[in-house]
Amino acid sequence: MNILFAASEVAPFIKTGGLADVAGSLPQKLADMGHDVKVILPLYEGIGQQYREKMKFLFHWNCRLAWRTPYCGVFELREGNISYLFVDNEYYFKRAEIYGHYDDGERFAFFSRAVIETPAHLDWHPDILHCNDWETALVPIYLLEERERIWQLRGTKSVYTIHNIEYQGRYGDQIIQDLLGLHPGYMNEHMLAFHGDVNLMKGAIYAADYVTTVSPTYADELQYPFYAHGLEGVVADNRWKMRGILNGLDTALYDPANGSGLAAPFNADDLSGKAACKRALQQAVGLREDPDVPIIACVSRLVKHKGFELVANSIHDIMGMNVQMVVLGTGEWNFEEAFRQAQAQYPGRFAARLQYSAALSTAIYGGADIFLMPSLAEPCGLSQMIAMRYGTVPVVRETGGLRDTVIPHGVFGDTGFTFANINAHDMVWVLGEAVGLYYNNKDGEDGWRVLQRNGMTRDFSWNNPAREYEDVYYQVTGIPRPTEPSPEEAPVPAAETPVQAEPEAAPVEEPAPKAEKKPAAKKAAPKAAKKPAAKKAAPKAEKAEKKPAARKAAAKAKEETPVPVKEAPKAEEKTAAPVKEAPKAEVKTAAPVKEAPKAEVKTAAPVKEEPKAKEEAPAPAKEVSAVKTEAKK
């Protein structure tokens, strides 16, 4: 299957959040599964020179964006089995920051047009256009317009993933024609119109062939106003084509066993290296070196919806425990100021690093003991999964992906601690439980080490999520999933091999069609003539002889018919044609004795001259069957 994956950021080239991690890992997994995957993203100023040196210029054209025709160039960088396509336009993308500009609507409308027009210049047909968040929300809408104009897009289906519904791409209605180049008819309640404005995410939800979110719980939460930010009605209207798929993790990148970025490597079976990582973290951020005190860590954007209002309001309660704390990130000024003051008030116990540092975040994951994520809303979250990979026990609020990934303490397979209410007292209480377990039960059956080991051994890879996305692709395109024949279906000549005596032991209706095949009859006769087969037939015949008439017939047959067993095949070969008559005659006369037909079926094939004997002497079917079985003996 051909897949074009469009995203505004892709790791490792450019990254500001979890979208980049998903766009960097999911396409790679899909390519490893055998699909032809291309990833397309803007060529930002922030993309490093080490990647630019590997790029190859492919082509350029003048992209059509309403009345504008801006330059659009495409560079390619091949990494393994994936082709990364970079859309070049310095006016739109040669800027210090990738988001937050006054013309973001125009910038990403241009990028969406480039995504749509690129397959025609590649002469490559994508079966799936996978778009992500509001920056590529126009792609499914443009696909409705261009699917019949660009033959490379005929039959192409669109999948749209909501990573965070809080950012929807909302603009004034004047952009519908002047900027987006769309007909005014798109400004309706079942497309772009949203309280008089244009809402790009709303239009993508309606226009896409399928919609996914990044966790099953988040997909359910989007039906409520608190989480949907005004789009709960849109989500409910499109619930029939929506599904929550939990994000995976690049387990090779986040692996404490390789020791990358850590003071010492460690794994689930040997956690001794984590003590060295803890000591190195304390030295790096200025905490007092104490191997016995638990370190509580936060690595996040410092904003309200991440729950930092709860943290800022309860710093003194948290520090009232015998703990240390480190916070890494940037965000709203009030939270940054609260953490600066805490660092000054609790020197050696509280460290605030108001910056973004990938190296320091890895050191925190590896050296901390408790990872705090009190998010008000969390679509999926990767930090709690990374923390568990590094043996750091998470304390989270039960929302979105946090609820789907962290199993609370006391439940089988527990990996951390959870609380449900948006309440600082609840958060502090659960933190106290975690600290108490750390101090009082390190190595018990339900102790701290068990939580660490459970978290480190959980499967957070992309194996299962990629299969779920693959299911969505096959569903919307109608392309059948390639399957291997099952073991039951594999042996094709199975219909020819069942030539054994087993069909003879089946009910009376089955022997008739079997007897019509001459090869089957020839093979069955020799097996019936073997002594072991005769021994097995004898007990069944004895059951049929429970009645006096059958016993007399059997005794009489012993005296009158001492026919050798070996002659049966000869008789069968000469009279193979009249086989059809024997079962018909036997079925009619088998009614008085229910068990007699079983014995008759076994011996009906070898002795072919019996139908004549029945016409001359109308003896009961019971006697004939007994004679046949004793003749075998």
Side-chain angles (χ1 to χ4, degrees):
M1 184 181 298
N2 297 340
I3 303 169
L4 182 59
F5 197 95
S8 59
E9 55 183 275
V10 178
F13 309 109
I14 195 80
K15 174 182 176 180
T16 64
L19 169 60
D21 290 311
V22 174
S25 302
L26 175 57
Q28 182 62 63
K29 185 60 183 179
L30 292 169
D32 293 341
M33 294 165 66
H35 301 288
D36 184 3
V37 182
K38 299 183 187 298
V39 180
I40 187 167
L41 69 155
L43 183 59
Y44 296 109
E45 174 69 14
I47 294 177
Q49 187 63 29
Q50 69 272 25
Y51 300 116
R52 293 177 179 268
E53 292 174 353
K54 301 178 184 178
M55 294 181 189
K56 173 186 176 183
F57 178 77
L58 294 184
F59 45 77
H60 78 278
W61 77 98
N62 284 15
C63 184
R64 180 167 53 86
L65 183 63
W67 52 268
R68 304 166 188 80
T69 56
Y71 163 87
C72 181
V74 173
F75 289 80
E76 181 185 34
L77 188 154
R78 293 202 65 87
E79 288 284 346
N81 49 3
I82 292 186
S83 173
Y84 293 95
L85 304 174
F86 295 85
V87 176
D88 177 40
N89 183 296
E90 292 188 352
Y91 172 75
Y92 289 129
F93 302 128
K94 191 176 182 179
R95 306 185 187 187
E97 302 293 334
I98 66 175
Y99 305 125
H101 301 283
Y102 76 97
D103 60 344
D104 277 355
E106 181 180 344
R107 294 170 68 225
F108 291 107
F110 164 76
F111 175 59
S112 298
R113 287 296 315 182
V115 171
I116 286 293
E117 296 181 14
T118 295
H121 295 274
L122 289 172
D123 196 15
W124 177 75
H125 165 69
D127 299 300
I128 288 290
L129 266 174
H130 192 151
C131 316
N132 299 270
D133 267 354
W134 78 267
E135 294 87 356
T136 56
L138 280 166
V139 173
I141 301 171
Y142 285 147
L143 183 62
L144 297 178
E145 291 271 311
E146 305 296 339
R147 183 179 277 136
E148 298 303 323
R149 298 178 186 173
I150 302 175
W151 72 266
Q152 287 87 352
L153 297 179
R154 292 183 180 179
T156 298
K157 303 296 183 180
S158 59
V159 174
Y160 181 67
T161 298
I162 303 172
H163 294 264
N164 192 341
I165 204 170
E166 186 175 353
Y167 305 101
Q168 301 173 2
R170 187 171 173 180
Y171 297 95
D173 62 347
Q174 66 273 12
I175 73 167
I176 192 79
Q177 296 182 73
D178 179 67
L179 179 60
L180 306 183
L182 294 172
H183 189 274
Y186 281 93
M187 193 65 180
N188 63 71
E189 287 302 319
H190 287 280
M191 189 54 67
L192 291 171
F194 186 75
H195 301 292
D197 292 337
V198 169
N199 190 310
L200 301 182
M201 181 173 283
K202 176 187 174 183
I205 293 173
Y206 275 107
D209 294 291
Y210 208 90
V211 181
T212 67
T213 63
V214 289
S215 71
T217 297
Y218 190 59
D220 295 334
E221 290 174 343
L222 290 184
Q223 300 177 77
Y224 301 97
F226 179 80
Y227 297 99
H229 295 274
L231 291 183
E232 61 276 2
V234 177
V235 171
D237 203 21
N238 292 273
R239 186 64 183 167
W240 58 275
K241 62 175 183 179
M242 182 174 287
R243 179 177 179 180
I245 301 176
L246 186 67
N247 280 341
L249 197 66
D250 188 341
T251 54
L253 178 63
Y254 301 107
D255 185 6
N258 61 30
S260 177
L262 301 176
F266 58 92
N267 55 53
D269 298 323
D270 182 10
L271 290 166
S272 58
K274 192 168 176 65
C277 295
K278 182 174 184 177
R279 183 170 59 254
L281 174 61
Q282 290 171 332
Q283 294 172 353
V285 298
L287 297 175
R288 185 176 64 250
E289 290 186 36
D290 189 342
D292 300 323
V293 175
I295 299 177
I296 300 173
C298 295
V299 179
S300 175
R301 286 183 295 115
L302 308 181
V303 293
K304 184 177 179 179
H305 81 267
K306 290 292 186 179
F308 281 99
E309 188 172 17
L310 305 181
V311 179
N313 291 338
S314 57
I315 287 179
H316 303 300
D317 294 328
I318 295 173
M319 300 309 295
M321 310 175 198
N322 187 16
V323 299
Q324 295 178 353
M325 190 167 183
V326 57
V327 176
L328 173 65
T330 60
E332 299 174 10
W333 71 268
N334 53 325
F335 299 133
E336 292 185 359
E337 184 61 27
F339 295 141
R340 285 194 192 98
Q341 293 181 7
Q343 179 176 257
Q345 188 170 0
Y346 302 100
R349 296 186 58 209
F350 192 102
R353 293 294 178 268
L354 306 178
Q355 63 186 82
Y356 173 78
S357 172
L360 184 54
S361 66
T362 302
I364 291 175
Y365 286 127
D369 300 292
I370 299 171
F371 194 85
L372 178 61
M373 286 187 71
S375 303
L376 307 188
E378 193 66 59
C380 176
L382 297 179
S383 297
Q384 80 281 8
M385 291 189 274
I386 298 172
M388 284 186 274
R389 286 281 294 170
Y390 285 87
T392 302
V393 176
V395 175
V396 304
R397 196 181 86 79
E398 296 174 2
T399 181
L402 302 180
R403 182 179 179 183
D404 293 330
T405 54
V406 180
I407 302 174
H409 179 56
V411 179
F412 178 76
D414 48 0
T415 58
F417 294 83
T418 67
F419 63 98
N421 297 324
I422 304 174
N423 187 296
H425 296 292
D426 289 3
M427 182 191 72
V428 173
W429 179 272
V430 173
L431 272 174
E433 289 184 337
V435 172
L437 185 69
Y438 177 89
Y439 277 118
N440 302 319
N441 189 354
K442 282 282 185 68
D443 301 310
E445 293 183 357
D446 58 347
W448 192 260
R449 304 294 185 205
V450 175
L451 290 180
Q452 289 180 300
R453 192 174 297 108
N454 289 345
M456 296 180 74
T457 55
R458 280 201 66 184
D459 182 12
F460 291 120
S461 69
W462 275 103
N463 294 334
N464 292 330
R467 285 291 179 188
E468 292 189 57
Y469 277 110
E470 194 181 45
D471 290 340
V472 171
Y473 298 159
Y474 283 121
Q475 178 181 338
V476 298
T477 60
I479 299 174
R481 177 190 285 275
T483 55
E484 297 180 359
S486 62
E488 297 178 357
E489 299 174 351
V492 179
E496 301 176 1
T497 51
V499 200
Q500 320 94 342
E502 292 179 6
E504 299 173 2
V508 178
E509 293 81 2
E510 294 185 5
K514 295 280 182 180
E516 293 175 5
K517 296 182 179 181
K518 294 182 180 181
K522 291 179 181 180
K523 293 182 180 179
K527 292 190 177 182
K530 293 181 180 179
K531 291 184 180 180
K535 288 180 181 179
K536 291 182 180 179
K540 293 186 178 179
E542 289 175 6
K543 290 181 181 179
E545 293 170 7
K546 287 182 179 179
K547 295 192 176 184
R551 292 177 183 175
K552 291 179 182 181
K556 189 174 181 181
K558 287 181 180 179
E559 299 176 358
E560 297 177 0
T561 59
V563 182
V565 181
K566 293 182 179 178
E567 296 178 358
K570 296 180 180 179
E572 179 189 359
E573 292 176 1
K574 294 178 181 179
T575 58
V579 173
K580 297 180 181 178
E581 300 179 2
K584 292 181 181 179
E586 290 170 4
V587 171
K588 293 180 180 179
T589 57
V593 183
K594 294 180 180 179
E595 297 182 11
K598 293 183 178 179
E600 294 167 6
V601 171
K602 291 188 174 183
T603 56
V607 183
K608 305 299 177 179
E609 297 180 359
E610 288 299 324
K612 294 181 180 180
K614 288 180 182 178
E615 293 176 2
E616 295 174 359
K622 298 180 288 183
E623 296 181 3
V624 175
S625 64
V627 170
K628 293 175 184 177
T629 40
E630 292 301 331
K632 284 188 176 183
K633 293 182 181 179

